[in-house]
Amino acid sequence: MNDDPLIFLFLLLAALVIWFLFFRETAAQKQAREEEEERRERERQRLEEERRKAREAAKKEFDSLVTPGVPAGVQRTHRELLAENPLPKGQQWYGEDVSPLTYYGYRVGKTRGLRETERHEIIRYVMRARLGDPLAVSYQRSWGRPLSSQRRSAICSHLSKLAAQRASRRNYETAVAHWQADRAWTRCREDAEISKFDSYNFD
């Protein structure tokens, strides 16, 4: 029985030795751990700063592309649309018969259709324009942000819809051909810009 205290002390000492050897963090280990944590934090801050600067540079470039002013040709066709289709008195928005393309004067067909270069200029402008009143609210929402894949898809879908609606009608062959050709042209426009800005969700 007299050996019991000795055995207890021996076991306690052994436990302390095991703890010391296997669980106690040495000063050197602690310093190494803290230095590694500090290094990781500096790296995190560096990457965060790089992302912030990249976003600021992208926003500056984005703003320069979507607000450069309306090209002279688009101004002319836009004025013609407003002169021929003024908003009725007391009405704040056009209906869905006036799409963003129509609003800026896009026209196809034999009689009053624009030249291909003029149509492409309008499409390129609408791709980059910030849409707002007096366009129908549904267009402002569903056509997405400037220089986005949603905006390009909306333009292509709109042109496809127009072509499909009139494909079987007489005397619409030229108009349908124009819509189809312009849709094909639009599908690969602004690839670099869309890839660059789409993830930022700039308005």
Side-chain angles (χ1 to χ4, degrees), residues 44-60:
R44 185 192 66 77
Q45 291 179 358
R46 183 185 68 80
L47 292 174
E48 188 175 296
E49 180 65 10
E50 286 182 358
R51 284 192 292 268
R52 185 188 66 79
K53 288 181 178 179
R55 183 180 179 84
E56 287 181 355
K59 183 63 166 66
K60 185 176 181 180

Side-chain angles (χ1 to χ4, degrees), residues 106 116 119-120 159 175-186:
Y106 178 87
E116 183 181 78
R119 301 196 311 270
H120 288 180
L159 294 173
V176 170
H178 287 171
W179 286 319
Q180 291 175 336
D182 289 347
R183 177 187 178 277
W185 180 84
T186 304

